[in-house]
């Protein structure tokens, strides 16, 4: 489809503001002005609306397609939360308003949302305190890693290393490195953290272990109590990547079992929309010993019930966000939690796990499932048998699924399973949807045996066929040439 | 998979063609196969020094990236500038047109494998 | 059960297939000792109840305040068509376009966003967004550190203090050295910045208009940086950028911006939009998603995520950044905003805003005891010195429905009496007049 730049017609306008009385030259000396006006598109409002409506139709989204993208928790995003976030009392609030004493009164509603959200997340996770500032999961990881660094520095510990299992999401090692740590990788065994491998790298320089539990294979880390014990012995902290919290709400609380830091992905567990890649929100919860280091500002409550922003935390790591994080996203998650309540959240986990196990069972005779036992909210299958038998790879199956109207499972990760396909159906999908999906998937697997070439050609019904990624990387056309 | 007899190999899949006190360095056919379509090669500049076993650059394909390690120590005296516009040469001709750098060797090369030893190593990693 | 479609029959049938009898059986891996010590959450509510609860909380805000708050975050008009378009489920409920064939909408939109950013800032390449304007400066700085293999950063004190405090936090465990060059009575001190740049310097960071609203030309500064093989980083305000000399024209290596002014509601601090652009030479240092144009098997044009070898899912600890989820929907908002306004609309927005700010400055300086912080050129934001504490002045006017600006005392020494005031096209001349009258009245 033509880009907006190719559609531009000089002189065409949509939302043109009135003509100013004087132009820029009247206010700014000529040498400080730009030479040419920016070559942005000139379109009518209908042009714009039609273009973006058409573009949207080239996409799959949860609203239109089953989207079992593992690790991403593509559940239904309740529509009412959008209205809530758009309420003028929230959407029009300038973030600097609380700095003006007499205007503080007019931000009480927003501060209450933040305060209450933190309390609720504490109860869900068993953590002592939360910050809502991190703007996505990875940003939460960075915050958490920095909290860990601040804690050790404050205690006078010389800790330079963070351990990440090979099954960890790529953001974990990247965040630890960005926080200034050396990253130590350990290999999994039987799909789980191997206590022996952990022993081999544990020493006094280890600041923390970052783990995901259930891990990215959808398995519960059975050695968890032992792992906690080992880390305590060397005075290292335990970090929980909460991207998978949707598996365990009401069943286990990370704070109760000894984790010191956790980040949550509100855009996953708490159903805020993924928006084509963001915005998310990655609040971080901490144990009591890490609380003094949390980012500022923090929302505190006065005795008379009023809320205020407290900057007086001398040990704080400082500012991770310009203000209070992605408030608009937090609002949606808050509304979602209130809607579901404790029982509803527990049900989220129960049915997420039910759906994943159901799908795993339906699929187990048709695809290799490397760790085929009761899983949590997701499971990983492998197309290695298909590859060996007929040269069909996970990628081909993924593309064939697109042709059947489904988004594909995650196939680029976890790296420890070859030809991996990570399925996460989520609790909002019905039995019928999963039955139909598995039926279609089985059909694809059958056709792999008879006509593998056709699969390697998939997709054929999408707006484009397979795209040449090598050409894209070599030719680097990253903008529409003027 | 090719492993020319006249070359020496590192465990990290580089080769070195040593001629007197200079060596031409590249990555092996096995390595380029594993990486897939190469899209970018980052190399040291002429005049830089590289140390055996230490990182000297990196190589990227669409879905993977790998650090490059110098098989020998020395000063870089030439780099394959053609790779800037045509990184695919590494795929097409890993042992010839796809060479990476040329160095003037300092010190004795150590811990390098013969073609047979390297072929065994590659076979054991290829699963 | 809200958002869970299972009937009791479904549940039974599914448990049978799995071969267990209860839901609880699925959690047998979690030993008793690890079960929650408490899970004391409120009971669920109906949609109506939740909405009314949140409406009540929202009603505690006053939405009729006439605001002159800015400091990098501006109350511009947002065309109504944006909300309708970004709410389309195919945009709103999709994720990162890992499968390009079923994500051409998102991918083309990002490609168009990258193009618009580059055209606005006059740079070669852009990415799909980072979290906000502050983390964009941090990422730009890290790009410079990697590209130059140096660790010293020279920052102007006239760069937003909100962002400078973020930079200080982000880098507290990294071996980087900051040199903060004082502002000169609110203007960016180019000569002092030049003097601070030497051969150990990775980059110099400036802002235009600077935090006090002043506009400068940094061409010479960036030339000086280049002479020392250091990079020039500039943070800009997208609306004003439609008229101001561009980062490209000044020779900047990396340009970043907070994109809030392009169609994002103020929303109490986020979600906002970190925009980043750079020269061709630096593309491989860029963090985050980048979309490229390519062809499919049949030679049709299409779009993919490209240069992914920079990113965390491939490079892990050695990635250019840890960013994964970004602010994609905010980037889409900004793109649609730019399309709806077009070049003329964006320029007029800047001009209308400036016109009001200059009128405000004229009115205020007519009040005895009030003066502009300096006489350097400014756009839509201006810092004024008052004869009384700026905190006090602002406080007094709030109950009369006006928020006069941001008092600068908490950001800079000796500025308790300085007020930073911003105008947008939404502030009417009449409101500006009333504010001037009221301020005059309390001084
Ligand atoms: C397990 C895991 N950890 C961390 C992240 C990073 O979260 P975000 O994309 O919000 O930065 C993700 C998401 O992609 C994830 O699946």
């Amino acid at each position: 489809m033509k880009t907006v730049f190719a559609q531009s017609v000089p002189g065409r306008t949509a939302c043109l503001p009135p003509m100013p009385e004087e132009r820029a030259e009247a206010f700014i000396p000529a040498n400080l002005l730009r030479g040419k006006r920016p070559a942005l598109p000139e379109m009518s409002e209908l042009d714009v609306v039609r273009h973006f409506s058409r573009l949207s139709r080239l996409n799959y989204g949860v609203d239109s397609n089953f989207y079992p993208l593992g690790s991403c928790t593509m559940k239904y995003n309740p529509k009412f939360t959008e209205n809530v976030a758009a309420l003028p009392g929230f959407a029009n609030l300038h973030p600097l308003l609380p700095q003006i004493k007499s205007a503080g009164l007019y931000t009480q509603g927003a501060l209450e949302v933040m305060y209450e959200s933190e309390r609720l997340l504490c109860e869900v996770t068993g953590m002592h305190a939360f910050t809502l500032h991190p703007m996505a999961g990875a940003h939460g990881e960075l915050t958490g890693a920095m909290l860990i660094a601040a804690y050790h520095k404050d205690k006078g510990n010389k800790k330079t290393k963070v351990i990440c299992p090979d099954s960890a999401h790529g953001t974990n090692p990247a965040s630890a490195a960005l926080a200034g740590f050396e990253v130590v990788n350990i290999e999994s065994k039987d799909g789980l953290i191997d206590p022996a491998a952990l022993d081999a790298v544990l020493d006094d320089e280890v600041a923390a272990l970052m783990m995901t539990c259930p891990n990215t294979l959808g398995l519960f880390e059975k050695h968890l109590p032992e792992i906690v014990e080992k880390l305590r012995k060397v005075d290292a902290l335990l970090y929980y990547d909460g991207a998978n919290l949707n598996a365990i709400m009401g069943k286990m609380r990370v704070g109760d079992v000894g984790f010191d830091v956790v980040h949550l992905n509100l855009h996953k567990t708490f159903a805020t929309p993924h928006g084509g890649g963001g915005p998310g929100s990655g609040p971080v919860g901490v144990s009591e010993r890490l609380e003094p280091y949390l980012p500022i500002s923090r929302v505190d409550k006065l005795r008379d019930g009023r809320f205020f922003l407290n900057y007086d935390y001398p040990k704080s790591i400082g500012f991770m966000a310009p203000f209070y994080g992605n408030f608009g996203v937090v609002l949606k998650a808050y509304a979602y939690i209130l809607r579901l309540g404790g029982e509803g959240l527990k049900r989220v986990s129960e049915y997420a796990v039910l759906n994943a196990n159901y799908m795993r069972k339906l699929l187990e005779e048709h695809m290799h499932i490397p760790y085929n036992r009761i899983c949590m909210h997701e499971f990983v299958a492998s197309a290695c048998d298909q590859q060996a038998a007929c040269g069909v790879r996970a990628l081909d199956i993924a593309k064939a699924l697109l042709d059947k109207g489904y988004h594909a499972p995650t196939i680029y990760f976890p790296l420890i399973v070859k030809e991996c396909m990570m399925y996460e159906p989520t609790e909002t999908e019905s039995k019928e949807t999963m039955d139909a999906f598995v039926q279609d998937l089985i059909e694809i697997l059958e056709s792999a045996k008879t006509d593998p070439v056709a699969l390697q050609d998939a997709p054929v019904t999408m707006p484009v066929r397979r795209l040449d990624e090598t050409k894209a990387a070599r030719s680097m056309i990253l903008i529409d040439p003027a | 998979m090719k492993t020319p007899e006249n070359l020496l190999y590192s465990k990290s899949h580089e080769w070195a063609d040593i001629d007197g006190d200079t060596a031409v360095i590249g990555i092996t056919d096995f390595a380029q196969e594993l990486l897939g379509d190469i899209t970018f090669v980052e190399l040291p500049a002429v005049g830089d020094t590289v140390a055996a076993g230490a990182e000297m650059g990196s190589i990227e394909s669409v879905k993977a990236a790998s650090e490059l390690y110098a098989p020998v120590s020395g000063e870089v005296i030439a780099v394959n500038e053609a790779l800037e516009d045509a990184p695919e040469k590494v795929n097409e001709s890993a042992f010839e047109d796809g060479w990476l750098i040329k160095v003037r060797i300092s010190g004795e090369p150590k811990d390098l494998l013969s073609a047979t030893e390297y072929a065994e190593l590659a076979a054991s990693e290829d699963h | 059960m809200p958002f869970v479609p299972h009937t009791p029959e479904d549940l039974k049938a599914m448990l049978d297939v799995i071969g267990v009898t209860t839901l609880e059986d699925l959690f047998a891996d979690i030993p008793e000792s690890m079960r929650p010590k408490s899970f004391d959450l409120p009971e669920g509510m109906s949609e109506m109840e939740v909405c009314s609860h949140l409406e009540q909380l929202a009603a505690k805000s006053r939405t009729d305040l006439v605001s002159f708050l800015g400091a990098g975050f501006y109350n511009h008009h947002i065309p109504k068509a944006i909300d309708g378009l970004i709410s389309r489920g195919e945009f709103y409920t999709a994720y990162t376009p890992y499968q390009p064939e079923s994500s051409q909408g998102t991918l083309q939109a990002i490609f168009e966003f990258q193009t618009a950013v580059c055209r606005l800032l006059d740079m070669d390449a852009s990415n799909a967004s980072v979290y906000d304007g502050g983390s964009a400066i941090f990422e730009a700085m890290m790009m410079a550190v990697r590209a130059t293999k140096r660790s010293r950063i020279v920052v102007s004190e006239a760069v937003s203090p909100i962002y400078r405090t973020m930079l200080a936090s982000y880098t507290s465990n990294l071996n980087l050295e900051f040199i903060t060059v004082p502002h000169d009575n609110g203007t960016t001190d180019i000569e002092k910045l030049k003097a601070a740049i030497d051969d150990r310097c990775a980059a110099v960071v400036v802002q235009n208009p600077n935090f006090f609203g002043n506009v400068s030309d940094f061409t010479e500064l960036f030339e000086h940086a280049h002479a020392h093989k250091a990079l020039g980083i500039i943070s800009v305000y997208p609306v004003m950028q439609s008229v101001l000399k561009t980062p490209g024209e000044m020779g900047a290596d990396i340009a970043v911006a907070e994109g809030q002014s392009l169609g994002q509601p103020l929303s109490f601090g986020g979600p906002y939009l970190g925009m980043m652009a750079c020269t061709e030479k630096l593309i491989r240092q860029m963090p985050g998603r980048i979309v490229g144009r390519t062809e499919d098997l049949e030679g049709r044009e299409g779009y993919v995520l490209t240069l992914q070898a920079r990113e965390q899912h491939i490079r892990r600890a050695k990635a250019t950044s840890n960013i994964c989820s970004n602010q994609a929907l905010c980037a889409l908002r900004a793109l649609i905003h730019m399309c709806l306004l077009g070049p003329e609309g964006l320029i007029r927005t800047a001009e209308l805003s400036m016109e009001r700010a200059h009128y405000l400055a004229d009115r205020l300086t007519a009040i005895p005891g009030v003066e502009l912080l300096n006489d350097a050129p400014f756009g839509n934001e201006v810092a004024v010195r008052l004869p009384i504490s700026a905190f006090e002045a602002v406080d007094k006017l709030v109950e009369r429905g006006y928020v006069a600006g941001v008092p600068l005392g908490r950001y800079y020494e000796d500025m308790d009496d300085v007020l930073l005031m911003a105008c947008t096209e939404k502030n009417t001349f009449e409101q500006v007049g009333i504010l001037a009258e009221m301020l005059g009245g309390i001084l």
Side-chain angles (χ1 to χ4, degrees), chain A residues 17 21 23 34-35 37 56 59 82 89 91 94 102 123 139 251 256 276-277 320 355 399 465 468, chain C residues 6 24 37-38 40 61 73 87-88 94 99 101 106 120 170 249 267 294 298 326 344 348 351 355 395:
Chain A
E21 281 167 31
R23 313 275 351 214
R34 62 188 291 159
R37 45 175 52 207
S56 78
N59 271 0
E82 216 181 320
H94 196 287
S102 55
E123 186 60 23
H139 200 219
K251 303 295 171 188
D256 294 344
M320 293 305 294
N355 278 2
K399 300 299 182 198
R465 303 279 304 275
D468 187 343
Chain C
H6 304 63
E24 201 45 51
K37 295 192 176 127
S38 127
D40 186 14
S61 310
F73 311 91
S87 305
R88 293 181 67 93
Q99 297 290 340
E101 299 86 352
T106 295
L120 184 62
Y170 279 54
E249 286 168 328
S267 190
T294 185
E298 293 168 12
N326 52 28
E344 177 67 10
R348 285 191 191 179
E351 290 168 337
E355 208 167 65
D395 255 345

Side-chain angles (χ1 to χ4, degrees), chain A residues 69-73 135-141 167-172 175 211-212 214-216 239 241-244 263-268 274 277-282 377-378 410 412-413 422 424, chain C residues 95-96 98 131 289 312 322-326:
Chain A
L69 186 67
S71 198
C72 296
T73 315
M135 295 177 270
H139 200 219
E141 294 169 20
S167 62
H169 194 261
T171 50
N172 291 5
S175 300
M211 65 186 279
T212 312
N215 65 19
T216 53
Y239 185 101
D241 178 333
N244 296 344
H263 85 263
L264 306 181
N265 282 6
L266 298 188
H267 45 301
K268 298 179 180 173
H274 287 70
S281 172
H377 64 299
E378 63 194 353
T410 296
Y412 69 91
F413 146 87
M422 192 202 292
E424 181 179 15
Chain C
Y95 203 15
T96 307
Y98 296 120
Y131 305 130
R289 316 286 185 203
Q312 45 76 28
N322 64 336
I323 193 167
C324 179
S325 291
N326 52 28

Side-chain angles (χ1 to χ4, degrees), chain C residues 13-251:
Chain C
M14 292 168 76
L15 289 172
D16 283 349
V17 168
I18 300 168
V20 296
T21 43
T22 67
L23 281 169
E24 201 45 51
D25 293 344
L26 299 171
F27 294 89
D29 269 352
I30 309 180
E32 209 41 53
S33 63
M34 290 169 71
R35 293 308 177 115
K37 295 192 176 127
S38 127
F39 198 69
D40 186 14
L41 289 148
E43 264 180 47
M45 296 187 201
S46 68
E47 180 178 299
M48 189 181 74
E49 288 168 320
V50 178
C51 288
S52 106
H53 175 62
L54 281 153
E55 279 157 17
Q56 279 166 26
L57 289 181
K60 294 187 181 183
S61 310
R62 248 184 94 171
T63 49
D64 62 338
L65 291 172
V66 177
S67 168
F68 293 83
L69 293 174
F73 311 91
Y74 301 96
N75 182 26
H76 288 289
H77 175 68
I78 300 173
K80 301 299 171 197
I82 295 179
D83 281 336
L85 289 172
I86 64 108
S87 305
R88 293 181 67 93
E90 296 87 343
F91 283 134
Y92 199 67
T93 68
Y95 203 15
T96 307
Y98 296 120
Q99 297 290 340
E101 299 86 352
S102 62
S103 317
Q104 286 297 301
T106 295
L107 286 161
Q108 183 170 335
I110 297 173
F111 183 83
E112 292 177 355
F113 171 75
Q114 290 172 179
T115 307
V117 171
C118 287
R119 290 183 180 198
L120 184 62
L121 306 183
D122 221 347
M123 302 296 288
D124 300 329
S126 168
N127 65 9
S129 76
V130 294
Y131 305 130
D132 81 303
S135 58
I137 300 180
F138 169 68
E139 295 279 11
M141 231 176 60
M142 296 305 284
M143 286 173 70
V145 167
R146 288 189 300 270
T148 61
K149 301 191 171 69
R150 298 177 182 177
S151 58
R152 176 181 287 185
I153 313 282
V154 174
V155 188
S156 163
E157 198 190 10
V159 169
S160 169
I162 297 168
Y163 294 153
R164 282 186 293 113
T165 51
M166 280 172 77
L167 296 182
S169 310
Y170 279 54
T171 55
S172 56
N173 302 309
L174 305 178
N175 286 321
L176 297 180
E177 180 193 359
F178 277 100
I179 295 178
T180 305
V181 174
H183 65 87
D184 177 12
N185 199 30
T187 62
T188 306
D189 195 332
I190 295 178
E191 288 312 312
K192 281 216 194 86
L193 283 165
K194 277 162 74 177
I197 297 171
D198 62 16
D199 290 344
R200 283 169 296 174
C201 171
V204 57
V205 185
V206 290
Q207 180 176 320
N208 196 45
N210 72 15
F211 186 68
F212 303 93
N214 290 137
V215 179
S216 301
D217 177 5
F218 295 113
T219 309
E220 225 186 280
L221 175 67
F222 293 152
E223 267 169 22
H224 185 82
H226 292 159
H228 289 276
K229 295 200 161 48
L231 303 186
I233 299 175
I234 185 167
S235 168
V236 301
Y237 168 12
V239 170
M240 287 301 297
Q241 197 53 68
S242 64
V243 298
L244 295 182
K245 187 162 181 172
T246 63
E249 286 168 328
M250 294 184 197

Side-chain angles (χ1 to χ4, degrees), chain A residues 398-477:
Chain A
K399 300 299 182 198
L401 281 168
L402 302 181
D403 271 335
K404 302 251 187 202
Y406 303 109
H407 196 281
T410 296
I411 55 170
Y412 69 91
F413 146 87
L415 304 174
I416 53 175
V417 174
K418 287 213 165 159
E419 298 300 317
C420 66
M421 305 191 82
M422 192 202 292
Y423 298 92
E424 181 179 15
T426 83
E427 76 283 0
T428 58
E429 297 296 337
S430 66
K431 178 169 174 295
E432 291 87 336
T433 301
M434 286 182 293
D435 287 342
F437 173 81
V438 172
Q439 212 45 55
D440 284 328
L441 180 53
I442 291 171
E443 235 168 69
I444 292 169
L445 297 173
E446 285 304 314
S447 77
K449 295 177 192 157
T450 52
D451 191 2
V453 178
L455 280 194
Q456 286 153 2
D457 266 351
V460 292
T461 63
M462 306 305 290
V464 288
R465 303 279 304 275
R466 274 193 215 187
L467 291 152
D468 187 343
E469 299 192 26
T470 307
K471 182 182 154 93
R474 283 180 185 160
S475 61
M476 287 210 288
I477 303 171

Side-chain angles (χ1 to χ4, degrees), chain A residues 62-88:
Chain A
V62 178
D63 279 1
S64 48
N65 308 76
F66 180 40
Y67 210 125
L69 186 67
S71 198
C72 296
T73 315
M74 303 302 289
K75 61 166 87 175
Y76 170 65
N77 311 133
K79 299 290 171 195
F80 80 99
T81 62
E82 216 181 320
N83 298 62
V84 166
L87 289 169

